[in-house]
Amino acid sequence: MSDATLHLHPEVETSHHVHADEHDVHHHKQTFITKYIFSTDHKTIAKQFLITGMAWAVIGGLFSVLFRLQLGFPDQSFPFLEDVFGHWAKGGKISPEFYYALITMHGTILVFFVLTAGLSGTFANFLIPLQIGARDMASPFLNMLSYWFFFLSSIIMFSSLFISTGPASGGWTSYPPLSALAQASEGSKLGMDLWLVSMAFFIVSSLLGGLNYVSTILNMRTKGMSMTRMPLTMWGIFFTAILGILSFPVLLSGAVLLLFDRNLGTSFFLSDIYIAGQALPNEGGSAILFQHLFWFLGHPEVYIIILPTMGIVSEILAIYSRKPIFGYLAMVGSLFTICILSLLVWAHHMFVTGLNPFLGSVFTLLTLLIAVPSAIKVFNWLTTIWRGSIRFTPAMLFSIGFVSIFISGGLTGIFLGNSTIDIHLHDTMFNIAHFHLVMGVAAFFGMFAGIYHWFPKMFGRYMNNTIGYIHFWITLIGAYLIFWPMHYQGFAGMPRRYFDKSSWVSFNQFADLDKMITVVTIIVFATQLMFLFNFFYSIYKGRKSTVQNPWNATTLEWTTPIRPGHGNWDGEIPEVHRWPYDYSKDGRDFIPQTEPIGANESVEH
């Protein structure tokens, strides 16, 4: 059956068993546009999210290389910068305005466009129907719209890079009053309006996707697929979607109100502002209100990024250790607990705003409580691989690397979660080190693991393992060399986002360290380009997959054809009889979920 032949109505999709009869299979032939551009096939939409996210990752990563050149070599000029960026880099030195724009766009791109849309959009779309046993999403049309809203958001954000006043430069958090007043800086003019409009469309895309993911998981599981038989990947994506549905509308309200303040003369976030000695007419607003609105999404956003990778890593560790996942229900419970607590801790980003000390102690307690379910997950991951028959594939290495990065980056969160210590560490390089490790690098490791693991199912070919091993080791070592030293800079009080710190005698001791970090950043970025070459080359020239289940996994996606068409299964959707982690059981290497439980077989989990 071809990739594009089977189209089923939603009423048919919801049944547990759907027969692909002749009438279903022989539909009109699709054109390139209907098959690859305006496709309603969840697998094609997943690839659209993935490749768009990769394009953004290159742009966002390149921006980090550019501003690291300024931080590592503040006294040197690089003539090629003026050739490329013109007046933004006169004399080969990045201007302060352009530096802040680079930082703002780097954060926005990586957090939202890559690690939210690129990560969740890819694996939620690709895996949900395949792992729960469904023909497609609950609403394939809305699923297509979610991508195109993301694409529209991307076009608007990308266009802001080319306007005369430059893109937004108020930081990825876009705090007012800087972001609310066009006269505050070049980056607060049209670029900020485009940033806010782009984020509004991005949030619409995320909500359409999230509602689809939740509806599909709750309503379209195949026969026998109870919630406690779902792979942990599904649980991670499920809780991620719920978090997005609850928190993204709050940021949408903040973005819309900020647009009103900028363009309609309202005062939601402005009050008692003076510019060049002149008082503005705005009264009664609160800039702190915007921080509450932003971080009510901003902190769940950390877990919107990390929860899917927790599920992916749990799955991969079990498969390549040839062992059942340790503590399945505890893993689900810890995901649920993290989901709840992440909605209750947003003000730990605001300890230095004059927050009531008693309220600060409440948020400190709730923040430190998140360490408990996180520790449960780490313990269960380590116990899963303990004494396992480990296959060190690139996917497995990136999963183990994820656990390492998550532990080391997460421990530093205990410092920042304490309101007293955070007063010293807030807005220092310690903050940069913590969230880049635990959210940025760890999430990328989970994403890489998922791509290497499911690549044969996506494209019917394998990626090159040798390049994969090189990619892993350079990225792992590079991540620690880049971000671990920043903790010491933060302890010394080195602020983040400063354009040039060389004039501070107290920070001169870190000049050579900053040079080293910049050099390693360039090497790691180049390594990611090598991964991209491996990815796109393997799509067309990689070794072909000749078996349905190359990793001997137990879950449903490996029961489909090597390259499943639209509808996933040629005949009936298989029935599920067991949980997804029967590895090394009763003398067998693995037992698929579709195999009935034997009379003398021990009961699942």
Side-chain angles (χ1 to χ4, degrees), residues 393-566:
T393 64
M396 184 61 166
L397 286 174
F398 273 108
S399 296
I400 296 172
F402 170 93
V403 177
S404 169
I405 295 283
F406 184 74
I407 294 171
S408 56
L411 285 173
T412 58
I414 296 174
F415 292 76
L416 296 172
N418 187 307
S419 57
T420 308
I421 301 173
D422 184 65
I423 290 171
H424 173 66
L425 295 177
H426 191 83
D427 265 341
T428 67
M429 297 303 289
F430 191 97
N431 209 339
I432 296 289
H434 163 70
F435 77 73
H436 274 81
L437 279 176
V438 78
M439 186 180 76
V441 178
F444 266 112
F445 270 51
M447 190 173 185
F448 288 139
I451 290 171
Y452 280 108
H453 178 67
W454 280 290
F455 191 87
K457 183 54 60 180
M458 284 184 177
F459 300 104
R461 294 177 184 268
Y462 298 98
M463 294 181 71
N464 183 284
N465 274 359
T466 302
I467 298 178
Y469 293 135
I470 296 171
H471 176 217
F472 167 74
W473 285 111
I474 294 178
T475 306
L476 178 72
I477 295 168
Y480 276 120
L481 286 176
I482 292 168
F483 296 113
W484 200 251
M486 291 182 188
H487 291 98
Y488 300 101
Q489 294 178 328
F491 276 131
M494 180 183 279
R496 63 175 177 170
R497 293 183 181 169
Y498 277 35
F499 174 71
D500 185 355
K501 296 185 272 276
S502 59
S503 58
W504 272 276
V505 176
S506 56
F507 300 143
N508 285 343
Q509 60 183 313
F510 296 117
D512 290 336
L513 189 59
D514 271 329
K515 286 184 175 65
M516 184 274 290
I517 292 173
T518 297
V519 170
V520 176
T521 299
I522 294 170
I523 293 171
V524 171
F525 178 72
T527 305
Q528 308 319 306
L529 297 180
M530 186 173 66
F531 161 77
L532 287 179
F533 168 79
N534 188 9
F535 179 86
F536 287 106
Y537 180 84
S538 298
I539 290 176
Y540 301 102
K541 300 291 186 180
R543 180 168 57 91
K544 286 187 177 181
S545 176
T546 57
V547 291
Q548 272 186 320
N549 190 1
W551 314 125
N552 291 333
T554 60
T555 45
L556 282 182
E557 74 267 30
W558 304 107
T559 64
T560 63
I562 294 172
R563 292 198 62 181
H566 195 169

Side-chain angles (χ1 to χ4, degrees), residues 309-320:
T309 60
M310 287 178 169
I312 289 168
V313 164
S314 301
E315 181 97 354
I316 290 173
L317 289 176
I319 291 171
Y320 294 106

Side-chain angles (χ1 to χ4, degrees), residues 63 85 87-88 95 97-102 104-105 156-170 182 185-195 262:
F63 286 175
F85 299 109
H87 72 281
W88 295 111
S95 68
E97 294 84 1
F98 189 47
Y99 173 82
Y100 290 117
L102 288 173
T104 300
M105 298 306 290
I156 296 170
M157 190 68 75
F158 189 67
S159 68
S160 73
L161 301 176
F162 300 96
I163 60 178
S164 60
T165 53
S169 63
S185 72
E186 289 294 284
S188 294
K189 292 184 168 65
L190 177 60
M192 181 56 67
D193 285 321
L194 292 174
W195 190 95
R262 288 177 54 82

Side-chain angles (χ1 to χ4, degrees), residues 586-599:
D586 297 336
R588 297 175 62 181
D589 181 43
F590 74 103
I591 308 175
Q593 280 190 283
T594 54
E595 184 170 321
I597 296 176

Side-chain angles (χ1 to χ4, degrees), residues 149-188:
F149 271 108
F150 168 51
F151 187 79
L152 177 60
S153 169
S154 298
I155 293 297
I156 296 170
M157 190 68 75
F158 189 67
S159 68
S160 73
L161 301 176
F162 300 96
I163 60 178
S164 60
T165 53
S169 63
W172 76 278
T173 54
S174 292
Y175 285 171
L178 177 62
S179 62
L181 300 170
Q183 59 268 50
S185 72
E186 289 294 284
S188 294

Side-chain angles (χ1 to χ4, degrees), residues 214-281:
V214 171
S215 300
T216 306
I217 290 173
L218 290 179
N219 297 314
M220 299 183 65
R221 301 186 309 277
T222 189
K223 186 176 181 182
M225 179 63 79
S226 63
M227 295 291 279
T228 54
R229 287 178 176 174
M230 293 197 310
L232 288 170
T233 313
M234 290 297 97
W235 280 108
I237 290 169
F238 179 65
F239 287 129
T240 297
I242 291 174
L243 272 181
I245 292 167
L246 293 175
S247 58
F248 263 119
V250 179
L251 180 60
L252 179 61
S253 68
V256 171
L257 295 181
L258 188 52
L259 277 170
F260 287 175
D261 275 10
R262 288 177 54 82
N263 299 292
L264 299 181
T266 58
S267 300
F268 291 106
F269 307 125
L270 296 173
S271 184
D272 304 317
I273 304 292
Y274 289 79
I275 293 183
Q278 297 295 315
L280 298 185

